[in-house]
Amino acid sequence: MLSYRHAFHAGNHADVLKHAVLVHLLDYLRQKEKALWYVDTHTGAAGYALDEAWARKNSEFATGIGRLWARKDVPASLAGYIGEVRSLNADGDLRFYPGSAQIAIQMLRPQDRLRLFELHSTEGRLLREHFANDAPRVLVQAGDGFDGLKSVLPPPSRRGLALIDPSYEDKRDYARARAALEDGLQRFATGVYLLWYPIVQRRESQQLPESLKRMRPTNWLHVALTVKAPAAEGFGLHGSGLFVVNPPWTLPAMLAEAMPYLVRVLGQDAGADFALESELA
Ligand SMILES: C[S@@+](CC[C@H](N)C(=O)[O-])C[C@H]1O[C@@H](n2cnc3c(N)ncnc32)[C@H](O)[C@@H]1O
């Protein structure tokens, strides 16, 4: 029984980091004409109304996209991301937030394909409804995204980006995400992989980045954004990280500009900080 609903979290600081990088990756990849496959192992509902009860419960977006929305000093490295959110909020009021699949469909071209996996029946139904008129360009598959990734790699065009974005409500997700990346790289070594993980006070979260580096991918980048000091009672999300395999050469510079800004604007106390490291051949 899954209880996670991304609508609670849509537009929070973790979505801001993940989606800003996703926009950068898609923007880079679409520069080449050849068809691109976008695979989302854990897709969620694709779109979120921020004034609905689910999103308002904790108003997590208020300390995420909400803090960036009205700012006039957003750096160029984040302009593409803000632009994708703006295109859903044309009148200037922040009411809708795009999920990863919505960002992808906004940015991709007719020749590109989206392969979306979602296990939760409610999210899956919303996702199918959202993309009801987009087959065969978009295929939504109910079921496990870790297994699903195997079924779509390598993509026929041999160009692809896979977002591995579990909810980690099941602690086995840490090992499964790592295994999915490792298996993906065996099937499709030149693919671009974007793996998200939560920064929480649990061993699996703290060990994941080092464990991913031990896979020794040829090209990788790790970025982490901490927005506050860990809570004294030991619970809660105080940051998030991304591990990117085969990032474009432009990503380190984009993040070198964006991260100090995100720390300043999204930081909630003196514990706010970022880490950025990469090895690109
Ligand atoms: C973090 S949310 C996805 C957010 C989305 N990728 C985005 O960035 O907008 C994770 C989603 O994975 C779904 N989920 C959980 N376990 C899954 C599994 N094994 N396979 C596919 N989906 C799963 C949850 O129902 C939830 O909707």
Side-chain angles (χ1 to χ4, degrees), residues 248-261:
W249 65 273
T250 51
L251 187 61
M254 175 267 181
L255 287 168
E257 181 184 80
M259 295 311 293
Y261 180 82

Side-chain angles (χ1 to χ4, degrees), residues 2-7 9-11 14-15 18-19 22 38 40-48 97-103 116-124 127 141-148 163-170 173 176 196:
L2 295 169
S3 56
Y4 182 93
R5 297 287 314 268
H6 194 67
H9 312 291
D15 264 6
K18 172 179 55 181
H19 293 157
L22 178 64
Y38 170 76
D40 206 323
T41 60
H42 297 67
T43 310
Y48 305 95
Y97 189 77
S100 46
Q102 175 61 29
I103 290 174
L116 313 176
F117 297 91
E118 173 56 49
L119 190 60
H120 193 292
S121 56
T122 310
E123 305 294 274
L127 193 58
Q141 283 175 250
D144 182 74
F146 296 119
D147 290 342
L163 171 60
I164 302 172
D165 185 22
S167 45
Y168 297 90
E169 61 179 340
D170 179 343
D173 278 357
R176 293 196 76 198
W196 180 88

